[in-house]
Amino acid sequence: MFITIRHDSYGEISYDENFWSGKKAVFIGGKELVKERKNVFLYDTGDRVIRVTAKGSYWFGAHLEIEGNNVVISRKPTWYEILFSALIYGLMSAWGNSPYLCSIVPVVGGAVGGLIWGVMIVVNLWAMREMDSIPKKLAAWLGILVATFVLSFLAALVVRAGA
């Protein structure tokens, strides 16, 4: 994830975090900071060298500590964003483990279902973070829940056809 913010004191700050490895890179004023340690970077202002510490992650709130200043890069997800994301997994898992419900509308479970649900949980977290109002967040969650259900149903049909 690549994020660029504007800060009053430091100007343009960019933060790059690899989705798979979690490796981070920090840019201030378009110039990449030199990595000293895993999450510690050196910012050379010309007059002096300042340590910049990256804390957190994009998904659970990232911020930089620069000379005692806390610069927020990405906010933490709210409790209801986490709850609704977990509800996707809980509802799909409950449906997939109920023989009665699966006799009405089958959904795939197991590793394939878990993969589908996990991807949709990440999509939901991302979508809800991008929305600015609670009704929009709820609409996004509902749409993603329906999409998860449809994908799980289609996967179940493919599994049944192959059996």
Side-chain angles (χ1 to χ4, degrees):
M1 296 295 186
F2 192 84
I3 304 168
T4 300
I5 63 165
R6 186 101 187 115
H7 191 269
D8 295 335
S9 303
Y10 303 106
E12 185 178 278
I13 299 174
S14 298
Y15 175 84
D16 187 20
E17 181 178 324
N18 186 297
F19 179 80
W20 300 108
S21 67
K23 287 186 178 179
K24 299 171 182 148
V26 179
F27 303 80
I28 297 180
K31 181 180 165 189
E32 184 172 4
L33 304 187
V34 176
K35 187 178 256 190
E36 182 183 45
R37 285 179 289 175
K38 182 178 179 184
N39 292 329
V40 179
F41 301 86
L42 300 175
Y43 173 40
D44 188 359
T45 63
D47 299 337
R48 60 196 172 106
V49 176
I50 301 170
R51 279 197 168 76
V52 177
T53 305
K55 295 195 173 186
S57 69
Y58 170 78
W59 292 105
F60 297 105
H63 65 274
L64 302 176
E65 287 183 4
I66 309 172
E67 295 185 306
N69 295 322
N70 190 28
V71 179
V72 176
I73 301 296
S74 69
R75 67 171 180 78
K76 294 179 181 178
T78 60
W79 66 269
Y80 55 86
E81 291 170 347
I82 294 170
L83 173 68
F84 282 113
S85 295
L87 275 175
I88 289 174
Y89 186 85
L91 292 171
M92 293 306 301
S93 182
W95 191 286
N97 284 313
S98 170
Y100 176 73
L101 292 175
C102 280
S103 69
I104 299 169
V105 179
V107 295
V108 71
V112 174
L115 176 67
I116 292 169
W117 307 338
V119 168
M120 296 308 279
I121 286 169
V122 171
V123 169
N124 184 66
L125 267 176
W126 173 79
M128 289 184 82
R129 288 171 61 117
E130 296 298 315
M131 305 289 168
D132 54 353
S133 70
I134 292 177
K136 287 180 183 177
K137 290 176 189 247
L138 291 175
W141 171 76
L142 187 59
I144 291 168
L145 177 64
V146 169
T148 305
F149 191 85
V150 169
L151 287 172
S152 296
F153 170 69
L154 293 174
L157 292 180
V158 169
V159 169
R160 275 193 177 174

